[in-house]
Amino acid sequence: MNWLSKVLYISAMGFAALSCVDENNLGNTSIVEEGPFSKYFDWRTTQQVDLKLTVLNAANKPLERIPLAVYTTNPFILTPDGQEMLSETSDEAMVFKGMTDASGKIVLPITIASRFDSLFVATTFPGVPNLTPIAIKNNAVDVTIGGSTI
């Protein structure tokens, strides 16, 4: 390719790129129109949930070092013989895994998809319910697992 061909080629590409600019919108940075639901919809796809879990024994004393996992969907499935087991896809729904502190608590913020309005807390520790469904209220979860029911 000779020098003149290169110059003509570059000029043609520049002309093609600049000819696609809409001159009516050069100063307008907002081209999204407000719809009828705009004042009710915040366009967020995630939500931050303040998670506070407490695990107690039957005497209402805190249990430390209890392994817990938090899921956005029920992580258990029933086997043909009626036993519960973790599903193969449970890792995809897990949003947190950890252990309770000396006061039997786990306190932290988590970020999940905004479509979820409940969470599931699972454990394999004996004497503690293995699955606890909990509702998210005002972007917070504060639940006690175990303890006496009297």
Side-chain angles (χ1 to χ4, degrees), residues 5-96:
S5 296
K6 289 180 185 178
V7 170
L8 288 174
Y9 178 75
I10 291 172
S11 297
M13 292 281 108
F15 178 74
L18 292 176
S19 66
C20 295
V21 174
D22 183 3
E23 293 176 12
N24 295 328
N25 282 328
L26 285 177
N28 186 4
T29 58
S30 175
I31 57 173
V32 177
E33 294 180 17
E34 294 291 321
F37 301 106
S38 296
K39 64 182 176 180
Y40 305 108
F41 186 69
D42 64 8
W43 303 96
R44 294 185 193 165
T45 59
T46 61
Q47 62 179 323
Q48 181 172 317
V49 176
D50 294 323
L51 187 67
K52 182 180 177 187
L53 305 174
T54 305
V55 181
L56 302 176
N57 65 13
N60 289 326
K61 301 290 184 202
L63 290 173
E64 68 177 292
R65 299 182 53 116
I66 303 300
L68 297 176
V70 179
Y71 298 88
T72 54
T73 59
N74 187 342
F76 292 105
I77 59 171
L78 285 177
T79 61
D81 61 346
Q83 299 293 317
E84 277 189 342
M85 65 177 277
L86 281 175
S87 71
E88 292 179 5
T89 60
S90 65
D91 284 346
E92 296 170 11
M94 186 188 307
V95 293
F96 173 78

Side-chain angles (χ1 to χ4, degrees), residues 106-145:
I106 292 177
V107 179
L108 72 148
I110 59 171
T111 301
I112 61 172
S114 58
R115 71 177 185 264
F116 295 112
D117 59 359
S118 62
L119 296 171
F120 295 85
V121 180
T123 187
T124 56
F125 193 82
V128 178
N130 67 339
L131 184 67
T132 305
I134 47 179
I136 299 170
K137 294 180 183 170
N138 298 321
N139 289 353
V141 168
D142 187 352
V143 69
T144 299
I145 301 169

